[in-house]
Amino acid sequence: MIYTVKIEQTYHYHKRMKYIPQTDSFVEKELISLSYERNVRQPYGWIKESGTPPCEHLDVIVMTDKEYELGDEDSVKIVGVFKRNDSDHKLVGVPLDRGIDDFSELSETEKEDLHRLYPREDVGEGWFGRECAEEIIREFFNKKKRKTIIMVQHTESQHHVNGMIGAWGDWELTERGRDQAFEIGKWLLYEDCDKCFEMYVSDLKRALQTAEEINKTLGIMPTVTAAIREVSAGRGNGQPREWYDRNKKSKGGGYDPDYKPFEDAESDRELWDRLYPFYREIISNDRERILIVSHGTTLSFLQSMLMGDSFEDIAKRRFIGVGGSVSKFVIEPDGKVVVRYINQQVC
């Protein structure tokens, strides 16, 4: 089993190191490094494919005399594991150029180093070979397959109260909207959104400011993207509603998925096509917990996609939320989508 290790501790650092994912950097903690304290010179890190600290991940000790810097990455074979009853297992890896495949093939000196690193073994704990390590890795990745997606529609914006069109008009939140967003942030604590959620935010001000207020509680570093902007109204973006209604193209009878109020606006079909790559990314990446802060029409389409609807189904049904509403979807390991709640007002 070959994986990529990212180094977070070497013998040269006497203090334990903490990884800061937002800046891809390390800072010292107050505690002395266990490796340094017990004179174990092998470097220590985590398996990149398993996640990133402080979120769930798999730790690995690399049995090598190669010198690494913090943050270095290398390919390793997993040959063993220190199995712990608290499930904080420590995998054992070796560089690919070492001709060994199992813990039993390590040198006696290396085994002594590892036993010195973790000398206490309760019942059921201890150092095991490759087969046990592979089983632990399988269980870890099987557990990771469940995915939670929470969506927040931005709160009260200036265009909600000033008679203007939203769309790509870059309106700010009202004071009431900021208060609403702050309350949503506190409410999301009950969903553990402060624990390893990845946040995606539309780059329009009203969504950014909603995320800003939420993060006064959650403290998540957001990924800002234009991919989840609201549908564009073209020339109608940010215009007075009276002007918009007077100048927009008239609709024919029935639902037209290609209707545009102005030539340079987006149709429903174009919005769906713009959002679909983002949808495919969030359901296929390795992020287990995702928080999306966006807009009404955009979120209604993403919700339809999660429920398995095709674009043609939009003509029959769609989910409509109001400012500040929150939705939660869980994708189970077998692919089943469970709707915990949809467009729920929490403030």
Side-chain angles (χ1 to χ4, degrees):
M1 303 178 75
I2 298 174
Y3 294 98
T4 305
V5 61
K6 190 176 180 84
I7 302 298
E8 67 172 320
Q9 192 79 50
T10 72
Y11 186 78
H12 299 296
Y13 290 88
H14 301 175
K15 296 290 185 71
R16 295 189 189 185
M17 306 305 293
K18 177 182 178 181
Y19 180 63
I20 310 299
Q22 292 89 343
T23 56
D24 190 28
S25 61
F26 298 83
V27 296
E28 285 189 349
K29 298 168 110 175
E30 289 298 318
L31 297 173
I32 298 295
S33 160
L34 196 63
S35 299
Y36 179 77
E37 187 176 45
R38 297 180 180 174
N39 194 31
V40 176
R41 295 179 175 271
Q42 286 86 359
Y44 176 96
W46 74 88
I47 298 298
K48 279 192 68 178
E49 292 85 352
S50 69
T52 302
C55 299
E56 289 182 300
H57 62 282
L58 289 169
D59 295 322
V60 60
I61 306 160
V62 185
M63 305 309 293
T64 181
D65 57 5
K66 182 177 177 179
E67 296 289 338
Y68 291 102
E69 297 294 332
L70 298 184
D72 281 353
E73 297 180 11
D74 203 354
S75 296
V76 295
K77 292 184 290 186
I78 302 303
V79 299
V81 63
F82 180 64
K83 186 176 180 181
R84 294 170 48 148
N85 291 333
D86 63 0
S87 297
D88 188 18
H89 312 300
K90 307 301 178 185
L91 297 172
V92 179
V94 297
L96 300 186
D97 58 4
R98 287 199 66 179
I100 67 173
D101 297 302
D102 192 81
F103 183 86
S104 61
E105 300 174 55
L106 293 173
S107 71
E108 291 305 313
T109 300
E110 288 175 319
K111 292 176 186 176
E112 289 172 7
D113 286 342
L114 292 175
H115 283 289
R116 190 167 62 254
L117 185 62
Y118 295 110
R120 294 183 57 188
E121 297 178 14
D122 290 335
V123 176
E125 295 186 330
W127 297 96
F128 295 87
R130 179 172 54 83
E131 288 187 8
C132 182
E134 290 177 349
E135 179 61 28
I136 285 171
I137 292 171
R138 276 194 298 271
E139 289 179 0
F140 179 87
F141 280 106
N142 286 339
K143 185 182 69 174
K144 279 178 65 68
K145 290 181 180 178
R146 179 177 286 106
K147 185 184 289 279
T148 299
I149 299 175
I150 295 178
M151 301 181 184
V152 178
Q153 186 171 331
H154 72 79
T155 51
E156 185 180 85
S157 165
Q158 290 174 349
H159 79 278
H160 289 152
V161 297
N162 65 8
M164 308 294 273
I165 294 295
W168 284 15
D170 210 6
W171 300 103
E172 299 190 352
L173 293 184
T174 63
E175 284 303 311
R176 179 170 181 264
R178 284 189 174 274
D179 291 341
Q180 290 172 329
F182 180 71
E183 291 300 317
I184 290 172
K186 292 195 294 184
W187 187 85
L188 288 173
L189 284 175
Y190 293 101
E191 291 290 359
D192 291 332
C193 287
D194 59 328
K195 297 176 181 175
C196 303
F197 267 74
E198 183 88 2
M199 177 187 278
Y200 295 92
V201 183
S202 160
D203 66 344
L204 294 176
K205 286 178 183 176
R206 55 194 185 272
L208 286 170
Q209 291 173 352
T210 299
E212 179 183 298
E213 294 297 325
I214 287 173
N215 277 325
K216 288 180 179 178
T217 302
L218 302 184
I220 305 172
M221 180 69 71
T223 297
V224 179
T225 173
I228 54 174
R229 281 186 175 189
E230 182 60 294
V231 63
S232 174
R235 281 201 308 136
N237 289 327
Q239 294 290 343
R241 181 164 294 279
E242 182 182 355
W243 180 95
Y244 180 92
D245 290 338
R246 187 172 64 248
N247 289 278
K248 69 181 181 181
K249 289 183 185 178
S250 60
K251 288 185 178 181
Y255 172 66
D256 179 3
D258 297 304
Y259 168 76
K260 298 181 181 184
F262 301 92
E263 286 297 329
D264 57 348
E266 275 184 312
S267 66
D268 278 359
R269 189 186 306 277
E270 289 170 335
L271 174 61
W272 184 278
D273 290 343
R274 167 160 66 86
L275 292 173
Y276 197 74
F278 174 82
Y279 158 74
R280 291 301 309 172
E281 164 62 20
I282 63 170
I283 65 165
S284 62
N285 67 22
D286 63 356
R287 301 292 189 264
E288 293 179 47
R289 302 174 181 90
I290 293 173
L291 178 61
I292 301 170
V293 182
S294 186
H295 310 264
T297 307
T298 296
L299 292 179
S300 75
F301 279 26
L302 288 174
Q303 290 162 356
S304 294
M305 292 175 187
L306 281 169
M307 292 302 297
D309 284 351
S310 67
F311 175 67
E312 288 69 28
D313 292 322
I314 291 294
K316 297 180 288 185
R317 60 179 174 267
R318 66 174 69 179
F319 305 100
I320 301 297
V322 297
S325 57
V326 183
S327 304
K328 180 180 180 180
F329 298 82
V330 176
I331 305 175
E332 298 289 354
D334 61 1
K336 179 174 69 176
V337 178
V338 178
V339 183
R340 299 297 188 195
Y341 48 83
I342 192 162
N343 295 329
Q344 179 172 313
Q345 289 184 270
V346 300
C347 63

